[in-house]
């Protein structure tokens, strides 16, 4: 025998609607007072869905922990990766909507946000170790601690190598070292650089060489306007076709061969754009070194050398720079 409350009586259809829960006070009417926002609660996981986990706080009162509120750092694809049915968990009340009978909970709020304390552990210039978690066209994401990823942009992988895709230098799950170059707490962004682990090879070259210096280089590739010459590992200069030989040549391959080593005189140095102009025919001569920037495209010799050839770092290497 139980006691119930009559909710509705339909004489025509001979139906009586009864309610059992109406004999006790509705617990949702006082949830805002009993579960204030910011308070910590303990409950049992009663169900898991794709979007979150329902936590029973008391009989008849359940709160939802959305999947985005489960971890500050880990990318939770499904709640079952962190929680299981029947598990006792601690959570923080984020929002209470008594009218719609909803309570929003957060589990990650129980622990400090690691991004907010990031600057206490790291600073600009800090050397860190991490695991390559993901590769994209524009760079590599490196996990330096649980859930904290930093981005190594493709241009920050090497000072000298022309890397078009990070997979050319890095592999997924590879352990790497890097230097922190920027920290953005608000947007949760960490910029890393692998190339800054080593001195800038270009800067070192420009610091130790001057116009008129004679250097030894190896011809690495051709373009229709000249030959690219490797002076050091990753450091290239361009010898215009008019500077390859005393005799007139139409194509660079008429004067030199790929892999050929010989001496060149430095005719131009552009530190900012990392460009080096070379001459083979000027070696052993005391000809004055002219500033090629004063030449126009119609002049002879080194005329228009850097107007037709852009061999900045990161440029293509297929001779399509003209």
């Amino acid at each position: 025998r139980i006691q119930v409350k009559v909710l509705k009586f339909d004489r025509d259809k001979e139906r009586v609607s009864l309610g059992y829960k109406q004999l006790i006070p509705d617990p949702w009417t006082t949830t805002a007072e009993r579960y204030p926002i910011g308070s910590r609660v303990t409950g049992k996981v009663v169900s898991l869905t794709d979007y979150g986990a329902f936590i029973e706080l008391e009989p008849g009162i359940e709160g939802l922990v959305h999947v985005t509120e489960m971890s500050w750092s880990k990318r939770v694809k499904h709640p079952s990766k962190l929680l299981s049915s029947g598990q006792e968990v601690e959570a923080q009340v984020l929002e209470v909507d008594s009218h719609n009978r909803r309570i929003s909970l957060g589990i990650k709020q129980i622990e400090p946000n690691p991004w907010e304390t990031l600057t206490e552990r790291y600073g600009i210039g800090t050397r860190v170790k991490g695991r390559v978690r993901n590769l994209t066209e524009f760079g590599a994401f490196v996990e330096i601690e649980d859930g904290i990823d930093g981005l190594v942009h493709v241009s920050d992988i090497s000072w000298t190598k022309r890397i078009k895709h990070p997979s050319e230098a890095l592999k997924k799950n590879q352990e790497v070292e890097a230097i922190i170059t920027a920290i953005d707490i608000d947007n949760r962004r960490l910029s890393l650089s692998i190339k800054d682990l080593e001195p800038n090879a270009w800067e070192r070259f420009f610091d130790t060489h001057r116009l008129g210096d004679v250097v030894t280089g190896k011809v690495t590739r051709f373009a229709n306007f000249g030959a690219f010459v490797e002076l050091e590992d990753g450091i290239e200069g361009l010898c215009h076709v008019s500077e390859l030989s005393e005799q007139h040549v139409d194509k660079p391959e008429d004067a030199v061969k790929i892999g050929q080593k010989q001496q060149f005189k430095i005719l131009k140095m552009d530190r900012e754009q990392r460009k080096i102009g070379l001459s083979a025919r000027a070696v052993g001569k005391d000809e004055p070194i002219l500033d090629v920037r004063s030449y126009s495209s119609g002049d002879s010799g080194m005329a228009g050398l850097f107007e037709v050839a852009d061999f900045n770092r990161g440029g293509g290497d297929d001779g399509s720079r003209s």
Side-chain angles (χ1 to χ4, degrees):
R1 284 186 168 275
I2 60 171
Q3 219 177 13
V4 293
K5 184 176 182 179
V6 177
L7 303 180
K8 187 178 180 182
F9 173 50
D10 189 331
R11 186 183 298 274
D12 295 333
K13 295 182 179 180
E14 298 182 354
R15 291 179 182 174
V16 180
S17 297
L18 307 175
Y20 180 71
K21 68 181 184 181
Q22 285 77 8
L23 295 179
I24 59 175
D26 183 358
W28 282 98
T29 58
T30 58
T31 50
E33 291 78 16
R34 291 183 291 116
Y35 300 105
I37 294 175
S39 62
R40 292 192 175 190
V41 295
T42 301
K44 182 177 66 174
V45 178
V46 290
S47 64
L48 299 171
T49 68
D50 290 339
Y51 55 85
F54 286 93
I55 312 296
E56 185 183 58
L57 304 179
E58 63 179 72
I61 299 293
E62 292 181 1
L64 172 66
V65 180
H66 194 269
V67 68
T68 58
E69 301 297 341
M70 292 186 176
S71 174
W72 288 114
S73 50
K74 291 181 180 179
R75 293 159 186 81
V76 183
K77 294 182 179 180
H78 193 276
S80 60
K81 299 293 182 180
L82 291 180
L83 303 174
S84 58
S85 185
Q87 179 181 348
E88 291 284 337
V89 296
E90 188 178 9
Q92 182 172 308
V93 178
L94 304 180
E95 185 180 353
V96 178
D97 185 349
S98 300
H99 178 71
N100 292 305
R101 298 174 179 262
R102 295 175 182 171
I103 297 180
S104 297
L105 303 174
I107 293 178
K108 69 182 184 181
Q109 287 77 8
I110 300 300
E111 301 293 335
N113 184 348
W115 281 97
E116 293 180 355
T117 59
L118 192 68
T119 53
E120 298 175 7
R121 303 188 300 280
Y122 306 104
I124 305 298
T126 301
R127 191 181 187 118
V128 295
K129 290 183 179 181
R131 177 182 62 88
V132 177
R133 188 184 57 79
N134 191 28
L135 297 173
T136 68
E137 291 185 359
F138 53 85
F141 286 94
V142 178
E143 186 178 56
I144 64 171
E145 62 178 58
D146 189 18
I148 300 294
D149 287 352
L151 173 65
V152 180
H153 193 270
V154 66
S155 62
D156 289 318
I157 295 177
S158 173
W159 286 114
T160 54
K161 294 179 181 178
R162 295 178 178 84
I163 298 176
K164 295 180 179 180
H165 193 280
S167 60
E168 297 173 16
L170 302 171
K171 295 180 180 179
K172 194 172 181 179
N173 295 320
Q174 178 182 345
E175 293 289 332
V176 298
E177 285 188 280
I179 299 292
I180 296 178
T181 57
I183 299 175
D184 185 348
I185 299 299
D186 294 335
N187 294 304
R188 297 187 182 183
R189 292 176 182 171
L190 190 66
S191 298
L192 304 175
S193 172
I194 293 178
K195 71 180 185 181
D196 282 316
L197 293 169
E198 302 294 336
N200 187 335
W202 283 94
E203 292 297 323
R204 184 175 63 247
F205 184 90
F206 283 112
D207 288 340
T208 56
H209 294 82
R210 297 290 181 268
L211 291 177
D213 284 357
V214 175
V215 293
T216 300
K218 180 177 70 174
V219 178
T220 56
R221 52 203 169 92
F222 295 134
N224 58 358
F225 43 77
F228 288 90
V229 180
E230 185 180 56
L231 304 176
E232 294 181 8
D233 185 22
I235 302 295
E236 279 189 342
L238 174 65
C239 186
H240 193 267
V241 65
S242 61
E243 295 293 331
L244 282 170
S245 173
E246 289 285 357
Q247 288 77 35
H248 173 77
V249 293
D250 294 322
K251 298 181 295 183
E253 48 263 46
D254 294 336
V256 292
K257 297 179 180 179
I258 297 294
Q260 179 177 329
K261 290 185 178 181
Q262 68 180 74
Q263 290 186 319
F264 297 87
K265 180 176 283 190
I266 299 177
L267 296 189
K268 177 180 173 63
M269 298 179 70
D270 189 329
R271 182 187 292 262
E272 183 177 344
Q273 298 189 46
R274 294 179 180 172
K275 295 178 179 179
I276 303 169
L278 304 171
S279 173
R281 70 177 185 84
V283 175
K285 298 180 179 180
D286 293 329
E287 295 178 357
I289 304 300
L290 300 177
D291 187 349
V292 297
R293 288 174 297 182
S294 64
Y295 282 73
S296 66
S297 297
D299 294 328
S300 59
M302 289 289 287
L305 171 60
F306 294 105
E307 295 177 23
V308 296
D310 178 15
F311 56 105
N312 221 341
R313 72 181 174 98
D317 56 2
D318 56 0
S320 60
R321 295 176 175 79
S322 58

